[in-house]
Amino acid sequence: MELSALVSQLSRVGKTASKRLAYLGVNIVKDLLYYFPFRYEDYRTMVPISQLQHGQMVTICGQVQLIANKRSFKRRKIITEALVADKTGAARVVWFNQPFIIKNIHVGDVVYLSGKVQTDMLGPQLASPTYEKYKKDPAHTARLVPIYSLTFGLTQKQIRSLTNQVITLAGQVEEWLPKEILEKADLTPLSDALRGIHFPADDNDLKQSVERLKFDELFLIQLKAELSRLEKSGIKAPKINFKEAEVRSFVSSLPFQLTKTQKISAWEIFQDLEKSAPMSRLLSGDVGSGKTVIAAMAMLNACLNGFRSVFMAPTEILASQHYNSLIKLFGDKFSVGLLTGSQFAIHNYKFEEKSQAGQKKEFFKKIGDGELSIVVGTHALFSEGVEYKKLGLVIVDEQHRFGVEQRKTIKEKGRGVHFLSMTATPIPRSLALVIYGDLDVSIINELPPGRKKIITKLVEPAKRDKAYQFIRDQVKQGRQIFVVCPLIERKEDEAEIEIINYPANPSNEKKSVLSEYEKLSKNIFPDLRVGYLHGKLKGKEKERIMSDFKNGKLDLLVSTSVVEVGVDIPNASVMMIEGAEGFGLAQLHQFRGRVGRSIHQSYCLLFTHSDSVKASERLSFFEKNNDGFKLAEKDLEMRGPGEVYGTEQSGMMNLRIAQLNDRELIKKTRELAKETAVDLEKYPVLNKKMKDWEKSVHLE
């Protein structure tokens, strides 16, 4: 059989099982080899029946003396009872609602049974143990037994049996790592690792197999990042000299003092701008940590050197906000323009043309002639026909929120210029090294002095009315309130693990917001001015609502995660989050950052309907912690990068086994990737693997 053979060709795989396996991403034999267990049961302790003790996790091997089904009248269940004996004694075995077992096991069969021992007056008993007929190399018992993630209708035994059928084919998987890398990193061969991850001979075999497969995942990401770096190193960018006197003057004119990490980040950017190689830097800072002013300092340097800057945001609301912030910071020092899908403007400039079309043409001509020092906007900045003269710096805010095609355009248009990406999502350095391997990282991890800590409270259902009264009191004091609604549908699976699904359908989003809006505006706060915002509204409508809220025409704004990033309403003092268990810690922290942006004491109120212990633990941790980086670390630990940052941002869609706390391994793969990238053509098999991998995963 070939690795490319369909799993339907394996024995005991019919149409139904094929569909269920496909749901797990297993379509061909090779997929089955790469469908890794997430944990193991240790059934290696073989114990004679006479030595069984209560509570032990053991494996026994004995002959079946009796086996029969009977019906339990109390619970109306089928119970399968058996008596199994070895040379030292006999033990009772019981299974519930598995009547088919008597077709698989017969009197006289020698079997392995693995499970937990229970003892009573009649002696030892195994309840619902894993069973397997005696053979030299068991797959389900008497060993480290792999446990896989399942879907409805598939069992652990099925996955293990199928993997066992194809495990010898692991030898056909091509070894793509060069011999010198295997030796330098002290790695086991790939075929051995694939066998060892499913059916490890011992702890050491498992450790070596896991290490090798983790290395593979991380090495490809690091190699891709290193190749991007090398590609950029051949491109020249304009040198933007550090104008020390002017920067000092600008900083001293600010109504606040820069924090230590703001100063460090700014200095790292200035040093990059002075090089002829294009800057590729990520500025990661907590909500309200002052990233925009650092971006302004970079643009100030570009303008003073005669170069133009582009500042791009994912939404019209954010673009307008950045435009107004820069006008406040620079006044009339530089010409600043705004371009989004629905509007264009130039600060303190009167268009000569009278018609809208004529004005737009005039606007684009000014960009093309290099008359605008800074242009702020959405992806419209890089739409067809927009050409820039003397472009030196491109800044992209929340790059991960742009689509794949938009990001591609940014990259193409931004060739040969300095590039700064900003994110308000706190990204721990360990993760940044993996995700943004080809970007240098600057981190702002402190808030400006004088900012009051936001008081966060998890509100019990019994205290909801009290919370509503608190909100009413805040409005009486002239404050405004954000209300964020989840788009969630909760399910409890068999193991009582909370699963949260976010409906992609915008009509669900609308429904969620409108029902909350109805409740608050009609029943709870009929005397207050309540507005709503959701993804189905048109851009201009969103602008109008946000403008009304900003200008104090609304007391409460009911919204979805539209308000998550960057929206600045200094007068808002309460962030109320419904269904808080439906959001990750990093996202909750983004919401919380919408308040506390002025001198007023601000609050974040968390409402939940969940009685899940896991959800309660997460929300309690959030209640006690205000550090976004600490929350991000916790979120990663509990949910993993794909869920926290989304596969679009994290590029983690193929990280099946490596973890972000594998810091030593990340460091090792990074060093070896640097050595290998400069001479990749020397390794044709690795080069081909890299190209195939790039097609299958999108990494920014």
Side-chain angles (χ1 to χ4, degrees), residues 1 6-21 32 100-101 103-106 131-133 135 140 153-166:
M1 187 174 277
L6 295 172
V7 283
S8 54
Q9 290 176 244
L10 297 173
S11 67
R12 296 192 177 180
V13 178
K15 266 189 183 175
T16 309
S18 287
K19 278 181 190 170
R20 287 168 180 167
L21 288 163
L32 200 52
F100 55 85
I101 286 175
K103 290 179 182 172
N104 300 338
I105 299 176
H106 307 101
Y131 64 89
E132 188 172 15
K133 285 187 184 179
K135 58 180 172 183
H140 314 290
L154 283 178
T155 66
Q156 292 293 344
K157 266 198 164 179
Q158 274 174 293
I159 301 277
R160 280 196 294 266
S161 297
L162 293 174
T163 308
N164 205 24
Q165 273 186 58
V166 302

Side-chain angles (χ1 to χ4, degrees), residues 678-695:
V678 289
D679 212 358
L680 188 58
E681 297 303 319
K682 199 173 110 182
Y683 310 109
V685 179
L686 173 56
N687 201 1
K688 183 183 178 297
K689 172 74 179 177
M690 189 73 224
K691 282 173 181 160
D692 292 344
W693 178 79
E694 279 178 321
K695 286 176 199 165

